[in-house]
Amino acid sequence: MVIAVTLMLVLSSAQQQLAVGEHVFEYRILDNGLRVYAIEDPGETTSVFMAIAAGTRDETAGTTGLAHLTEHAMFAGTATTGADIHEKTIVGWGGESNAFTRDDYTMYYDHDFASEHLPEVLSMEADRLRGLTLESEPVLNERHRLNTEEEHAYQPSDGRAQQLENAVYNSHPYRHGLRDAGGHTKAPGLSVAQVKFFYDAYYHPNRAAIVIVGPHKPAAVLNMAEESFGKLESQATTNNHYFEPEVTASRTVVIKSQLPRDKVVRCWLTPKIQHADRAALDVLAAMLQRDEIKSGVLVNVSTGGRIEQELFKMSWSVGDHDAGVIAKEVSRMLTSYKLGEADASVMTEVKELLADVYTSQPMRSRPYFALAGTLSWYAAHDLTEVLAGYHDAVMAVTSDDLARVCKTYLAKKKCVTVTFRGTGEAVKPLPESISELQAEAAAAFETGHYARAIEAYTLILAQKKDPMSQIINFTERGSIHLEMKNYDAAIADFEAGLTYYDYPAVADMLEDAIAQKKRAMRGNL
């Protein structure tokens, strides 16, 4: 049964409810502007997710990495909790504590700790929200850690993604993510004073949201949170308003790359996340992703999930094919939707899969995949109605809507085409080290050399055995099999990945692969 996602009516001025699918959160907006959500979840442990409405988009070209460095500084200590003590305390209570930075927000989480310690955890979170001492030595230690993290985590494919955004956006700070040849932002050279400036500008209760999941009654949890955070003062904060001017004349950008073959990416600007057309654009992208062109070249289609004006992207590798022929075939794909020729049965399948992308998430797990974590950043930006209404918005999309958004946003004159010029060099044998294999797998996938990408992921899977790496690599390889219409291989990989962790995103991909296989079998009857 499809569960309608609706925003519940306000019950009282103090305590209200928000329904996301079958989950009903109790919440309270404190006098200082902090949004606190709680939901009862059976078990002996509790998880706390805190999102700050500030991320890399709030940096400048000269301060890239500042949001991430401030995230690290949140573990550098307060007057009552020393450097690294927050994390060690949570671990000592059986849980884990960490954080991550995204373009639109920064997320902190204390996950799976013994529930009797909830009051203390909330007190520690409130303490560091406004009480960091930001002493030089611990902050500079965190800067060193970040420097090492950037070196180890950076992949050439990340650099190409950043080059793409820098080429397409003219003024929006999403374009500021360029890194140097070593994979570094400006963070290694940023000062403690700059961290303090960012912290004082954005880290206030009226720019934050807390979601608490555990066995306690929600009313009691909200009272605990108010006891800890209610004493913090609301302050006028930096409220940046970002806008990217509409593209009114198509343009082409060519970027030299280390890819062996040319890669072409067509990009169009889409409206902000709260705009009614974002759901239709998501459906359109998912349907185009299933389509094929006559030359057999695989076209990857994607939309992002960021808050600001996002990019709708269609990309492909030229390889040995005629570039002009591919471009015309891609244009014909779009024309069919502009004419209202969307396949109704495929659209129904796509909508049913897409509509539950949030409600199918587990309530709490690692925050990248947790509904509670997702809710926290939507709430920090006062966008909970968008999250709560996404299911209904997707299910309401019609063929006429697809035609309209295709004409409105994906017009030829609004397109920015970015070509990553390949080296033309012969493909070398695959390397042996995991880091080099990962880079080769990403490059092969980007340029449509799918057999090579699959081979690289197979070698990685044979070497890297930790559960998190296994599910990621099985999922990556399964995604490539699905692109190639190798449904059985895709299904096998997704099922293998799910034996390590029951991640909803992978489960959705498995469901999609099964649905596509059934459709292909019906077509062959």
Side-chain angles (χ1 to χ4, degrees), residues 293-369:
I293 58 177
K294 290 183 178 180
S295 62
V297 172
L298 297 177
V299 179
N300 290 300
V301 187
S302 64
T303 56
R306 293 179 296 190
I307 289 174
E308 299 288 334
Q309 292 159 285
E310 187 55 281
L311 298 183
F312 190 107
K313 294 179 286 190
M314 300 183 72
S315 63
W316 61 89
S317 173
V318 175
D320 298 326
H321 297 83
D322 185 300
V325 170
I326 300 173
K328 289 179 181 178
E329 290 178 345
V330 171
S331 295
R332 281 196 288 270
M333 286 175 66
L334 292 177
T335 298
S336 68
Y337 285 93
K338 291 176 183 178
L339 295 174
E341 297 174 354
D343 186 305
S345 60
V346 173
M347 184 164 66
T348 298
E349 282 182 10
V350 166
K351 285 164 55 176
E352 289 178 351
L353 286 168
L354 189 60
D356 292 328
V357 66
Y358 296 120
T359 55
S360 64
Q361 292 179 329
M363 180 54 62
R364 52 172 167 159
S365 60
R366 286 181 174 269
Y368 314 101
F369 308 101

Side-chain angles (χ1 to χ4, degrees), residues 20-170:
V20 182
E22 62 184 1
H23 306 292
V24 179
F25 295 85
E26 304 284 335
Y27 76 96
R28 188 179 299 172
I29 301 176
L30 306 189
D31 290 343
N32 58 19
L34 180 73
R35 295 166 171 82
V36 186
Y37 293 75
I39 191 167
E40 190 172 354
D41 187 43
E44 298 180 354
T45 64
T46 294
S47 298
V48 175
F49 303 86
M50 181 171 75
I52 306 297
T56 60
R57 71 175 191 176
D58 300 298
E59 302 165 345
T60 67
T63 61
T64 58
L66 182 54
H68 195 178
L69 181 55
T70 305
E71 172 218 306
H72 274 248
M74 283 284 277
F75 293 88
T78 69
T80 57
T81 305
D84 295 327
I85 297 301
H86 184 113
E87 181 181 5
K88 290 177 181 177
T89 300
I90 301 298
V91 171
W93 291 336
E96 63 173 304
S97 181
N98 212 326
F100 59 90
T101 303
R102 295 291 183 264
D103 287 336
D104 298 315
Y105 63 92
T106 306
M107 172 87 69
Y108 301 87
Y109 61 93
D110 304 303
H111 178 51
D112 226 16
F113 58 87
S115 293
E116 64 265 26
H117 295 294
L118 176 58
E120 297 154 280
V121 172
L122 292 175
S123 293
M124 287 196 299
E125 289 294 0
D127 184 29
R128 68 174 176 170
L129 179 57
R130 283 307 312 146
L132 292 184
T133 55
L134 295 175
E135 296 175 359
S136 291
E137 184 176 350
V139 174
L140 294 179
N141 285 340
E142 290 297 335
R143 190 178 70 177
H144 176 72
R145 288 179 180 177
L146 178 54
N147 181 57
T148 303
E149 180 182 330
E150 288 185 342
E151 287 178 355
H152 291 168
Y154 186 75
Q155 292 288 338
S157 57
D158 298 329
R160 287 187 287 274
Q162 292 153 4
Q163 287 177 312
L164 176 80
E165 301 215 326
N166 186 261
V168 177
Y169 289 106
N170 280 321

